[in-house]
Amino acid sequence: MPQFDPTSFPSQLFWLVVTFVILYVLISRFAIPRIGDVMEQRQKMMDDDLDRAAQLKAEAETAVQTYEKALADARAKAHEVMKAATDEMSRKAEERNREVAGRLAQQIADGEARIGKARDEALASVREVATGAAQAIAVKLADVSLADDKVDAAVGAALQESR
Amino acid sequence: MASPVEQFAVKPIIPIQVGGVDISFTNSALFMTIAVGVSALFFWYGTRKRALVPSRWQSMNEVFYEFIANMIRDNVGKEGMKYFPFIFTLFMFVFLGNMLGLLPYSFTFTSHIAVTAALAVFIFIAVTIIGFARHGTHFLRMFFPHGAPIATAPILIPIELISYLSRPFSLSVRLFANMTVGHIMLKVLAGFVVALGVFGFIPLAVVFGVTLLEIGIAALQAYVFTILTCIYLNDAINMH
């Protein structure tokens, strides 16, 4: 086998050393820095992008939080305003109710007083008219003139009864 | 029919004699030079743009780079990255030597024991120097692990010593034998294609299959050679 022919060994070893050293220099000085560089750059860019994405996400979350807080505040405020308005309105309505009710009660009381007075007056005139009528009837039917106070008393009794 | 080992003959192309030593530029040297040229072309073409989004060739460059870088990180650790250029060179050299050898009419310089042994012995000596440089005489602990009973020393130390010293042999013979046998097998089977005439298609199909297998072996042996180097380096750096 040619593999075990030592005459070719020096040449093989010499060229092995030469080519291997050239390849070593090529790879260590040229290939590795160039490949490593671009990969590092890519990694760095990816990391940067991820960092920026995380930052933007945090910012977006803060914005959402601010928005939600503002929304909640606005809701609370609206609720407050509505409650205040409702309270005010119900207070006013109550006041008016009370006022109107008072006036109505006053009017009712006035009316009742007037009615009572009118009835008293009417009753008083009924008694007068009845007395007169009773005397006149007595004169016409029996031709007797009755004493005023007696007739008046009788009419009073009759009125008392009919009441 | 030519002898199946004729393909391994080292033939001078440019005869050179220096001080009575024959260092002719041979077919072996030619293919070593081609391997360097292919590497140079591969890395130059792959990294000429250095794009953020890699092209196909740049991706291939990065795949090889990452493959070796990860191999060292996994087997040796961060400290092993000092030897990344050497390991990368070793892998490219052996890988291209094996692969170029599969081309018709080419020469497989990794099928020569002189080349594989030179690489293996260099690795063995370098790793031993690294071991002693890092750990001093403590590196001798390699041959007698912690926790072993002292009574086992007379057996254990010779075994460990022999296994350590046999590393360059196993490393070089594995690559040399795999490459040599594969190429002899292809040559013999290819001879049958002609010899069997009409029925030559049967060995032809076998040659086709074996060629695919040999491509796999070429890549695998380059990987094995490199990863064993990493494991030896790990022993020297971290001790086991």
Side-chain angles (χ1 to χ4, degrees):
Chain A
M1 273 171 92
Q3 277 94 332
F4 301 116
D5 171 20
T7 55
S8 72
F9 286 3
S11 149
Q12 285 195 61
L13 294 178
F14 175 76
W15 290 105
L16 170 66
V17 171
V18 169
T19 52
F20 197 88
V21 167
I22 292 171
L23 187 61
Y24 180 81
V25 171
L26 186 92
I27 284 180
S28 63
R29 292 282 151 83
F30 178 77
I32 289 177
R34 279 169 76 118
I35 303 171
D37 203 44
V38 71
M39 284 169 67
E40 202 173 291
Q41 211 178 313
R42 184 181 306 135
Q43 189 62 44
K44 196 172 159 293
M45 199 183 133
M46 261 156 40
D47 288 349
D48 284 358
D49 282 1
L50 285 176
D51 282 356
R52 215 172 49 230
Q55 199 189 318
L56 287 175
K57 194 174 168 237
E59 268 172 30
E61 263 166 14
T62 320
V64 165
Q65 266 172 13
T66 316
Y67 165 76
E68 268 171 3
K69 197 171 168 295
L71 198 67
D73 283 358
R75 274 215 187 100
K77 210 168 166 191
H79 193 75
E80 221 166 76
V81 167
M82 251 162 73
K83 196 169 174 296
T86 320
D87 283 359
E88 174 73 10
M89 264 157 66
S90 61
R91 199 179 55 75
K92 269 188 181 158
E94 209 173 303
E95 205 170 83
R96 278 247 306 275
N97 264 352
R98 233 190 348 261
E99 197 189 298
V100 169
R103 216 165 53 225
L104 284 174
Q106 184 63 45
Q107 279 177 2
I108 289 166
D110 284 0
E112 273 175 351
R114 253 198 336 267
I115 290 165
K117 209 171 119 201
R119 199 187 57 206
D120 286 354
E121 271 169 19
L123 280 176
S125 55
V126 162
R127 192 164 175 161
E128 224 167 272
V129 169
T131 310
Q135 277 177 325
I137 290 165
V139 170
K140 276 273 166 88
L141 291 178
D143 200 19
V144 271
S145 129
L146 295 168
D148 278 359
D149 53 339
K150 273 190 181 163
V151 174
D152 192 48
V155 167
L159 276 175
Q160 206 73 46
E161 238 170 70
S162 68
R163 195 171 273 183
Chain B
M1 195 177 101
S3 156
V5 293
E6 205 192 281
Q7 57 178 323
F8 302 114
V10 178
K11 295 171 195 143
I13 298 171
I14 307 166
I16 305 170
Q17 293 269 342
V18 176
V21 183
D22 176 31
I23 53 160
S24 304
F25 189 82
T26 59
N27 49 357
S28 168
L30 175 66
F31 276 89
M32 290 181 190
T33 311
I34 291 173
V36 174
V38 168
S39 284
L41 203 66
F42 175 64
F43 289 124
W44 168 77
Y45 192 75
T47 61
R48 75 199 190 291
K49 279 188 189 140
R50 276 177 282 176
L52 220 52
V53 177
S55 61
R56 282 178 230 172
W57 285 101
Q58 193 184 329
S59 278
M60 285 300 291
N61 272 225
E62 289 175 10
V63 165
F64 274 80
Y65 180 99
E66 278 288 276
F67 177 64
I68 302 300
N70 285 335
M71 193 193 285
I72 297 172
R73 268 195 289 266
D74 294 346
N75 290 293
V76 190
K78 271 230 158 353
E79 287 167 282
M81 290 312 280
K82 254 195 302 192
Y83 307 103
F84 180 41
F86 174 74
I87 305 278
F88 201 4
T89 307
L90 186 69
F91 178 76
M92 290 309 292
F93 195 74
V94 175
F95 179 76
L96 285 170
N98 294 353
M99 281 298 183
L100 290 171
L102 286 168
L103 297 173
Y105 302 107
S106 70
F107 181 87
T108 322
F109 58 81
T110 47
S111 70
H112 273 257
I113 188 76
V115 172
T116 61
L119 290 173
V121 168
F122 175 77
I123 290 161
F124 177 75
I125 292 171
V127 159
T128 308
I129 290 170
I130 291 167
F132 276 110
R134 280 186 71 93
H135 303 287
T137 50
H138 188 69
F139 187 61
L140 294 170
R141 240 3 253 208
M142 276 278 290
F143 306 115
F144 189 61
H146 281 285
I150 195 79
T152 60
I155 312 165
L156 208 56
I157 291 173
I159 290 174
E160 289 284 341
L161 203 62
I162 289 165
S163 97
Y164 189 79
L165 293 175
S166 66
R167 280 173 173 187
F169 295 99
S170 64
L171 193 60
S172 56
V173 170
R174 183 181 298 109
L175 181 58
F176 148 72
N178 266 287
M179 288 303 115
T180 303
V181 168
H183 283 270
I184 290 175
M185 186 160 66
L186 280 175
K187 189 83 180 178
V188 170
L189 284 169
F192 283 150
V193 177
V194 183
L196 286 181
V198 188
F199 298 102
F201 69 89
I202 299 164
L204 186 65
V206 177
V207 167
F208 181 75
V210 171
T211 304
L212 292 182
L213 183 74
E214 282 302 314
I215 293 171
I217 288 173
L220 185 74
Q221 286 305 321
Y223 172 71
V224 167
F225 199 90
T226 317
I227 203 160
L228 281 171
T229 305
C230 286
I231 289 166
Y232 298 161
L233 195 60
N234 179 47
D235 281 349
I237 289 178
N238 303 313
M239 294 190 63
H240 63 132

